[in-house]
Amino acid sequence: MIAVMLVIVFVNHGLAIKAAGITTYTLKEMALVIPPIFILLGLLDLWVPRETMIKYMGEGSGTKGVILAFILGSAAAGPLYGAFPVAGMLMSKGAKFSNILIFIGAWSTTKIPMFLFEMAALGSKFAITRLLIDIPGVIILAYILSAMLGKEEIKRIYSRLL
Amino acid sequence: MGNYILYALMALLLAWSYRKDRQKTNQALMKAWKAFENILPEFLGIIILVGLMLAVLDPQVISRLIGQNSGWTGTIFAAVVGSIALMPGIVAFPTAAILLNNGAGYMQIAALISTLMMVGVVTMPVEIKYFGRKVAIARNLLAFFFSFLVAVIIAKGL
């Protein structure tokens, strides 16, 4: 990566400066969004007992778990890569795999602050149409992926995290 | 706005936690720091890549790739660009609006937006760290194909 960057600095000064500027901007943005995500993650980890997590998002949680996963993901702020550590923590607390995938799907594409922003930039018809496709889409994709992987593989992922 | 809510929520819960159990709160903060430290190298790598990518991919470049009447080829191109690129929504939506004004089609823009949000080639190292290679690849592939469905429906509707 550093080699690539050095090459760019030599070949195209303007591009290198632009890239450095954007990187600084993104770093600032990260410095703003990431701390609360991780602190909430830490608090959740210490205060929510495993039994509670299993009850609300675990194997037997049913529709309740799906809805909760959706709300948690949609209410989030921050880039998708912030979702994975949170998802890892939810999994180690016993949340069901399909619910984890719904959480990630919701975080990636049905975030509420982003939806408002999308409406403003691209029009309400575009944003609402996309939201209406994405809500069932996220759930269906989560179940397809869970089924594709099978119980054994999912068990392996969980045991790796513990 | 989302940031304010996030910080307010954090402050509220942190205060509540601190009042209830000081030691547990310290433990939670330690845990937060450890989780952050654990993933920091991947995060930094991603951020540098994003900087490079956004410097190369300005609206002019993208609109050349997915310009007027580019049809399915343009849609596929948009999906590939969206999968590889990583743009925060704050940059992505205005960029998409500029592209639309420059004559890009709704189908291409929908494919771009959908893959930008759901598919993350650049963020795969983080995803693999938590879920393993198989899940990360399968999830991204499914989201990639799903984005075409989104593109087709939006193109029909708008």
Side-chain angles (χ1 to χ4, degrees):
Chain A
M1 184 107 86
I2 292 165
V4 172
M5 276 163 37
L6 278 178
V7 169
I8 292 167
V9 169
F10 281 117
V11 173
N12 191 336
H13 264 310
L15 192 69
I17 290 165
K18 205 171 153 196
I22 295 166
T23 303
T24 321
Y25 172 80
T26 324
L27 265 175
K28 272 189 208 146
E29 212 188 41
M30 181 179 110
L32 201 68
V33 183
I34 296 294
I37 292 178
F38 278 89
I39 288 174
L40 286 174
L41 183 156
L43 286 174
L44 205 66
D45 196 13
L46 269 254
W47 285 105
V48 179
R50 200 176 147 78
E51 299 74 48
T52 316
M53 184 65 78
I54 291 173
K55 187 175 159 212
Y56 287 102
M57 287 182 84
E59 281 304 328
S61 61
T63 325
K64 194 168 56 190
V66 173
I67 293 170
L68 195 62
F70 231 109
I71 292 173
L72 275 179
S74 300
L80 182 60
Y81 54 83
F84 299 121
V86 182
M89 200 275 291
L90 293 176
M91 279 168 83
S92 67
K93 285 249 159 190
K96 192 179 166 188
F97 193 63
S98 58
N99 287 341
I100 291 295
L101 291 172
I102 290 169
F103 167 76
I104 289 190
W107 186 311
S108 73
T109 199
T110 61
K111 278 205 298 271
I112 296 158
M114 281 300 117
F115 173 73
L116 299 175
F117 206 60
E118 182 176 357
M119 280 223 289
L122 297 170
S124 48
K125 205 167 170 190
F126 186 95
I128 292 169
T129 311
R130 219 172 63 78
L131 182 70
L132 288 180
I133 310 163
D134 279 342
I135 291 173
V138 161
I139 297 173
I140 293 165
L141 288 185
Y143 282 109
I144 293 176
L145 192 52
S146 294
M148 256 170 66
L149 291 166
K151 285 207 168 70
E152 285 306 306
E153 177 70 22
I154 291 172
K155 222 184 260 167
R156 230 192 335 266
I157 298 162
Y158 274 80
S159 63
R160 247 186 35 165
L161 275 173
L162 286 176
Chain B
M1 189 195 69
N3 286 345
Y4 292 124
I5 299 171
L6 198 63
Y7 270 91
L9 186 69
M10 180 198 73
L12 210 73
L13 287 176
L14 210 54
W16 171 83
S17 172
Y18 195 75
R19 269 191 62 150
K20 260 197 121 170
D21 190 334
R22 232 163 131 173
Q23 207 172 4
K24 224 168 163 180
T25 309
N26 286 337
Q27 261 178 297
L29 289 176
M30 277 302 288
K31 205 138 204 176
W33 176 252
K34 277 221 179 92
F36 175 66
E37 222 179 12
N38 179 35
I39 204 70
L40 189 62
E42 279 87 352
F43 275 10
L44 287 178
I46 288 168
I47 284 167
I48 293 168
L49 259 180
V50 170
L52 266 179
M53 214 169 257
L54 291 184
V56 178
L57 289 173
D58 54 19
Q60 282 87 14
V61 175
I62 304 178
S63 71
R64 232 178 288 146
L65 302 175
I66 59 168
Q68 268 166 330
N69 308 321
S70 57
W72 275 102
T73 325
T75 308
I76 293 168
F77 226 106
V80 171
V81 170
S83 301
I84 299 169
L86 192 147
M87 279 184 204
I90 299 161
V91 180
F93 292 127
T95 305
I98 295 168
L99 293 175
L100 273 178
N101 288 335
N102 286 341
Y106 273 104
M107 189 153 98
Q108 290 80 13
I109 290 300
L112 180 74
I113 288 286
S114 187
T115 49
L116 269 178
M117 317 228 102
M118 299 182 81
V119 186
V121 173
V122 181
T123 49
M124 283 268 248
V126 179
E127 198 167 351
I128 289 171
K129 197 158 177 177
Y130 289 97
F131 294 127
R133 201 171 293 271
K134 205 168 161 189
V135 178
I137 292 171
R139 191 197 71 79
N140 280 288
L141 272 179
L142 277 176
F144 180 78
F145 290 117
F146 173 71
S147 297
F148 285 96
L149 183 72
V150 175
V152 169
I153 294 173
I154 284 189
K156 287 248 163 72
L158 290 168

